[in-house]
Amino acid sequence: MVDSSLPRAPTADVRSSTLVGVLIGIAIMAAVDEIVFHQLLAWHHFYDRSTPSVALLSDGLLHAAEVTALVGGFFWFADLRRRSALSSRLAWGGFLLGAGGFQLFDGVVDHKVLRLHQIRYGVHLLPYDVLWIASGAVLLLAGVVVLWWARSRRPGAGPR
Amino acid sequence: MTVAGPLAHAGHGAAGPAWFPLFPVALLAVGYVLAAVRDPRGWDHRRTASWLVGCALLAVAVGPPAQLADDPRGHVAQHLLLGMLAPLGLVLAAPVTLLLRVAPPPVRRAVGRLLRARPLHLLAHPVTAALLTTGGLALVLLTPLYAEAERQPVLHHAVHLHYLAAGYLFAWSLAGPDPAPRRPGLAVRTGALLGAAAGHAVLAKYLYAKAESLPPGLTDRDPEAFRSAAQLMYYGGDLAELLLAAALFATWYHSRRPRPSPSPPPSPAPSPLIKKFASPEGDSLTQTS
């Protein structure tokens, strides 16, 4: 996940700070999707019986990966903080990028291209799809902007 | 279930035997505490607490109250306690380290030799351990083994023992603070955790979907009970995965702790294995690699 040969300098570790944000962003968005939409709202069920077994397998993998990424991401985050190698601006940018990227991927590839499942059944889907995909795109764009801003003001700004 | 149940419990239903499984558990708890008290350098109380929590969970899983629950939900609860939650408590208590501290030199040498044995490295590889625990569970629940274990008390106990042993091995291979020569790196261990957790979740959902026909070979079944058992398995597995992941990454976090470089020699590399484990570094026994 992270190479131990990183220099233990007091300056921010650009790559790790960004990546840890992306990782946590993806994990949080996957967890929100899973917990809010699958389990609380039950827009899809505990197990959707019409889903083929491949989707079942991918669902189990997604869930396991989301939990592992969340826990691992926060320990990685804590390690970067402890070594004063964290840039919180880069991490926030990465977070938005990861969350938006996951949402957009889920909305476009999973829902529309592969048609694994839809957001809701028995309703007019278009407003849901538009809202889902647009919110993903907005998050992704916000992430790009924050990262660009954080990188542009990094020289001389020191670790924050 | 109602037909198979009384048969399964004929073996340990009479007076005394229901208490019998508690004896080895009590022995484990007392033995550990006695060893911890004897440790000349003082044993970390948190480890003792972890061991006792593990033993308490074991006691709940095998004690008399558990044997009343003749129900698939009871089986799942036992599986979760025996195979996932109790092993984590036991593993985090570092019993092998404690043994190396208090045992006489011949025992220590033997343990050191055992830890360096090739077959153990193969058996305790995270991937092998994941296959043994999740694969073993799938084997029990997808074959007539479950129905058979309902009828034969010996097999019933053997299945439980397998849950415990495989669960311990898995937790140890991922996050054990005990010495583990040649343990693979973080990526392999994370992968094994992912695989095992995904397998567990898929198995739970599969059982939920096919509650009318799985596990096979039962004479009388209540699909609703099996469905709620599968749900318990799914969410319980989640909790166990969360705890295991936390233990795994906490070990990693601990191993990367910046150390004061000059004063104590960080790792007595050229010394023999046993000396290394018994070195006065105390907490740094949680080192991985």
Side-chain angles (χ1 to χ4, degrees), chain A residues 101-116 129 132-134 137:
Chain A
F102 179 85
Q103 177 92 338
L104 197 63
F105 180 87
D106 191 35
V108 174
V109 178
D110 292 344
H111 297 176
K112 297 294 123 192
V113 177
L114 297 177
R115 302 198 152 266
L116 289 181
D129 276 339
W132 194 277
I133 291 169

Side-chain angles (χ1 to χ4, degrees), chain B residues 125-275:
Chain B
H125 192 280
V127 173
T128 325
L131 283 175
L132 280 174
T133 167
T134 307
L137 188 64
L139 199 66
V140 169
L141 293 171
L142 299 181
T143 67
L145 203 57
Y146 179 85
E148 206 50 48
E150 284 286 319
R151 283 186 277 271
Q152 295 182 18
V154 176
L155 193 60
H156 189 80
H157 291 310
V159 164
H160 283 174
L161 210 58
H162 171 81
Y163 284 167
L164 178 61
Y168 186 91
L169 197 68
F170 187 53
W172 181 62
S173 72
L174 287 188
D178 271 333
R182 299 174 59 86
R183 175 184 275 165
L186 187 69
V188 173
R189 284 186 277 157
T190 307
L193 176 63
L194 272 181
H200 196 274
V202 170
L203 184 62
K205 290 190 180 192
Y206 193 67
L207 288 167
Y208 182 86
K210 307 227 161 168
E212 280 84 13
S213 59
L214 285 178
L218 290 174
T219 42
D220 183 18
R221 68 170 71 239
D222 174 8
E224 212 34 65
F226 276 101
R227 239 172 255 134
S228 60
Q231 238 162 348
L232 178 63
M233 180 176 160
Y234 182 81
Y235 292 116
D238 248 24
L239 176 69
E241 193 213 343
L242 199 65
L243 293 175
L244 256 180
L248 168 62
F249 291 114
T251 311
W252 170 84
Y253 182 74
H254 207 69
S255 72
R256 281 173 62 88
R257 156 190 59 167
R259 299 178 196 204
S261 30
S263 38
S267 78
S271 67
L273 198 62
I274 296 164
K275 273 217 174 134

